[in-house]
Structures are given as structure tokens and as C-alpha cells.
Amino acid sequence: MNRLFLLIPSVGDEDADPDAAYLKQVGRIDNEETISILKRIVQSMKLVEGEDYEMFYDEKYLKKLLKSSDEGMPQMSNLLVFFNDADSIQQKGIGNIPLTINGVAVDSGLVNAFVEGKVSGKVLINKDALAQPDSPPVVYDSDGKCLRLNVLRCDSKEVYLWFVENRIPQRVLDSNYKKHGRTVKTGKGGSPISALTYPEEQLTEFLKRAVSANKTSNRLYFKDRKNDKIIIFWDENLANPTFHAMEVDAGNQEEIQKIYKLGGRRLLEIIDITADFV
């Protein structure tokens, strides 16, 4: 499972302690600026809502960010609902190992939580929270070893493409599934099931890029705009995430309605958006 760590900037002079050494000091900000920060964080997750991941944030700095503004605004409340699906590093009790970040000794905070443990498939998501936004912080562990941090901008495309290449566990294509394959077959009610026309290597790449309606859905979708096709991948419910494929014309209204019923306009939009990413 992947782990996402949401970086939140530090607010106010009182935050200028060692634990904030790697964070941007933004001073006191107004409601609109606070909303802008939260909105970027939420929007960066737009294309990966159906992925299987754990998400963490630093509750200490989120609270200080909110104290700088009026928390009663409806838009603010709607954005904070997003954090219900994330875990506070303080409540989880992680992030207490000693590190040196940008030359300062730090023993708590989100970067510490990121480094703690040997779990792969981790990334820091930054909405201008880093003191050095154009380069990741320089981090050394207690043994003097320089640690590499994966840092992404708060950007839905960037987060999506990171999952395409780093998803844990990786999806597996079953190109020999008995009900789908290289010949036309008959489905429920006698409806024909299209034969696969793509080579296995291309289907494997499409599977990496396919999106889901939600975390519990057994279907993934990818639109091949060049050939005007939608490739539907079905989870075979095996120990490893294994999928077989079928392809339909992108204009097939019966299939479009099925997709709409499963994920609504949001899913159709995500299928369209991700079709254009390279």
C-alpha cells in the first residue's frame, strides 16, 4: 500500500522552532489564503481517489493554519472533510526519530514520520510548504547518512503519474482469461464481448494508467483516444491485484451508462482527463 504525506506550511513566528526548520514560514494569513492551501491539497488527490493508500498529515501545523483564519466558513468546513480520510502523525505516534533537516536537529514532524520505517512507496505532497520549494530538504539520519525524499507538488497530474509508476502492489494483467481474449465471445443475454486487439505490452501500460470509481470497485478504466476505445479491466479477486481486459468503442452508450452509474460524471471526467496525460 502506498503512503502519502501532506506537507502543511508553518504559520506565525511562534512556530519558528527546530521542528519547523524544513517548513516555509508564511506568517499570519487570511481566509482566502488558507482556503487556497487546503484546496490545492484536496484537488491534488482528485485523480487518485480510487487508489489504495494511507494518507498522513501534521495535525500540529494544520491546527495552527486554521487558527490564523475563521474556521466557521462553509467552504473551509467542506475542505476539512477531506482530512477525515487522513491520519494525524501525532495520533499515530510516528515521526519521533532524530534527523538533521537543512542543518537543524529535528526529532518530530512530517519528514520524520516519512523517514520512519522502511516502507517503500512513499511520497511527500507539498503545497509550497517546504522552506526550499524548488528542491527537497537535505536530510541526514543519526548515523550521518543522507536520505532521499520523494517530493511532489500539489498537482493532480503529478500525483496520478507518480501512482502509475510507483503503485504498491503493481497491477498484473491476465491476458489469457477464459471469458475475454483474442476472439469475440458471448456475454450475458447473448451480447457479444469484443475481442482484444491490443498487444499485451500495450494493455499492461494501459492497466497501470487505468482509474477506478472508488477503492472498492472491481473495475478500472482507460481511454485510448487515438483509437477511440475504452479498455475496461476487471479485478479477478486474487491474492495479487490481477485484472483481465475487454475493450469497447468510446461512443458505446450502453457502456458509458454503466460507467456513469458506477462513478457518475466525476468518473467520466477522470477517464477523459487521464487519457491525455503522457
Side-chain angles (χ1 to χ4, degrees), residues 7 22 101-102 111 114 124 126 129-139 146-152:
L7 273 169
Y22 60 94
I101 304 176
N102 296 341
V111 169
F114 176 92
L124 290 160
N126 171 41
L130 290 178
Q132 303 173 45
D134 295 327
S135 60
V138 179
V139 180
C146 187
L147 304 175
R148 179 177 178 272
L149 279 70
N150 299 313
V151 182
L152 298 181

Side-chain angles (χ1 to χ4, degrees), residues 117-132:
K118 301 299 181 182
V119 181
S120 56
K122 300 184 296 185
V123 69
L124 290 160
I125 310 232
N126 171 41
K127 168 57 183 87
D128 301 332
L130 290 178
Q132 303 173 45

